[in-house]
Amino acid sequence: MDRQQSKPGTIDEYIAGFPVNVQNVLEEVRRTVRDTIPDATECISYAIPTFKLNNTNLVHFAAFKNHIGFYPAPTGMEAFKHDFAGYQTGKGSVQFPLNEPMPLELIARIVKFRTKEVT
């Protein structure tokens, strides 16, 4: 998981840099976002997977040793603070532990919320 050697240019390249079990979780998150907003564009921004709509970042996500970081922009953090009560959070991020099922329904709701904000 050492990202120093070469920065990924695509989400596929980013995901390929992780062990298979983490790749599977990253693909689950990616599929959930894509299924929720098929018109979004995939890219790498801030060296992590990002989905954009109308040239605006919707959400970012990233893998770490013990969790998936999910970045729904500051507005998403405030709107879902009660849903995040059981998770570690930061200024603009929430950490979903890798040893627990990904809260895909919550991720979809966050993406819908962010989509409404940028459309």
Side-chain angles (χ1 to χ4, degrees):
M1 288 192 265
D2 182 14
R3 294 263 164 243
Q4 298 294 358
Q5 294 172 347
S6 68
K7 292 187 178 180
T10 66
I11 293 179
D12 286 331
E13 289 173 10
Y14 179 90
I15 291 173
F18 291 91
V20 172
N21 63 320
V22 177
Q23 289 180 26
N24 292 337
V25 175
L26 288 167
E27 284 291 357
E28 266 189 327
V29 173
R30 179 189 199 180
R31 188 171 38 255
T32 298
V33 176
R34 197 177 342 176
D35 289 350
T36 304
I37 182 66
D39 294 338
T41 304
E42 291 187 352
C43 65
I44 296 290
S45 184
Y46 305 106
I48 60 174
T50 301
F51 280 84
K52 289 184 161 200
L53 187 65
N54 297 337
N55 258 350
T56 303
N57 292 343
L58 280 179
V59 295
H60 310 271
F61 62 97
F64 296 90
K65 184 177 181 182
N66 297 311
H67 70 275
I68 298 295
F70 195 76
Y71 308 87
T75 54
M77 292 302 296
E78 179 62 28
F80 292 91
K81 66 182 176 185
H82 297 300
D83 295 286
F84 296 156
Y87 299 105
Q88 183 80 22
T89 59
K91 183 178 178 185
S93 67
V94 58
Q95 297 178 8
F96 299 130
L98 282 169
N99 64 352
E100 297 176 12
M102 281 296 110
L104 301 176
E105 184 273 332
L106 174 57
I107 289 170
R109 286 193 294 126
I110 294 166
V111 171
K112 287 177 186 172
F113 172 83
R114 290 288 298 129
T115 300
K116 285 180 187 172
E117 287 190 314
V118 301
T119 54

